[in-house]
Amino acid sequence: CNAELSACWNGHAWQRAVQLLGIAQQDRLQPDKISFNAVISSLERAGAWRGVLDAVREMLAAGTAPDGISYLKGISAVGNAKKWQRACALFLTQPRAGLTREHDAAITAVTTSCGRTGQWQMALRLLRSEE
C-alpha cells in the first residue's frame, strides 16, 4: 500500500492517495507514518491545505504520532495558503524532543508564512522561542 501511495505523490494523484488511505482503513489495515506522510505530501503538493489538516487529524485518531515530515508538510501547506495562524498552531503543537532538520525547515516555513502575511512580529517571536 505504501508503494502505491508514494506513486500517487509522484504522479500528482492526491485524490487517489486519499482514496487508498480510506480503503486501507476500511479493510482494517493499520496505516503507518509512511502511509500518512505519503498522503500528506500528496495533498501538500496539490495545495489542498484542508486535506492536509484532515490527514493529520486522522493520523492522530489512528494512534499514529506525526513526525517531522508530517509537521513540515502540514505547516508548509497551510503557510502557502496564507493561513499563518494555522501554521503557527501546527508548529507549536509539534514535540520539541528530538529536533530534526525537518523541524528547522518547519521554522523556516512558519516564519515565511508569517512574513508573507505581514505578521513579522509573530515571526520574530517564534524565532526567539527557538533560541
Side-chain angles (χ1 to χ4, degrees), residues 22-51:
I23 290 169
Q25 290 171 320
Q26 286 174 354
D27 289 346
R28 297 195 190 338
L29 298 175
Q30 200 61 22
D32 58 11
K33 282 182 191 177
I34 295 169
S35 307
F36 281 106
N37 283 343
V39 172
I40 289 168
S41 294
S42 294
L43 289 162
E44 184 258 346
R45 188 175 197 181
W49 66 271
R50 285 185 179 101

Side-chain angles (χ1 to χ4, degrees), residues 14-122:
W14 66 269
Q15 296 99 334
R16 180 70 178 143
V18 171
Q19 182 184 35
L20 286 171
L21 185 64
I23 290 169
Q25 290 171 320
Q26 286 174 354
D27 289 346
R28 297 195 190 338
L29 298 175
Q30 200 61 22
D32 58 11
K33 282 182 191 177
I34 295 169
S35 307
F36 281 106
N37 283 343
V39 172
I40 289 168
S41 294
S42 294
L43 289 162
E44 184 258 346
R45 188 175 197 181
W49 66 271
R50 285 185 179 101
V52 169
L53 293 178
D54 289 342
V56 170
R57 279 191 282 274
E58 283 184 43
M59 189 176 195
L60 290 166
T64 303
D67 62 8
I69 293 169
S70 315
Y71 284 107
L72 172 59
K73 295 297 183 175
I75 292 164
S76 178
V78 295
N80 288 338
K82 297 186 179 173
K83 305 295 181 190
W84 69 270
Q85 299 97 330
R86 291 177 189 241
C88 290
L90 194 54
F91 177 78
L92 294 171
T93 61
Q94 66 181 331
R96 297 284 185 211
L99 296 179
T100 63
R101 50 178 190 203
E102 287 88 7
H103 179 81
D104 293 342
I107 293 167
T108 301
V110 73
T111 55
T112 299
S113 174
C114 290
R116 283 183 185 154
T117 55
Q119 302 299 321
W120 59 270
Q121 290 174 326
M122 177 58 80

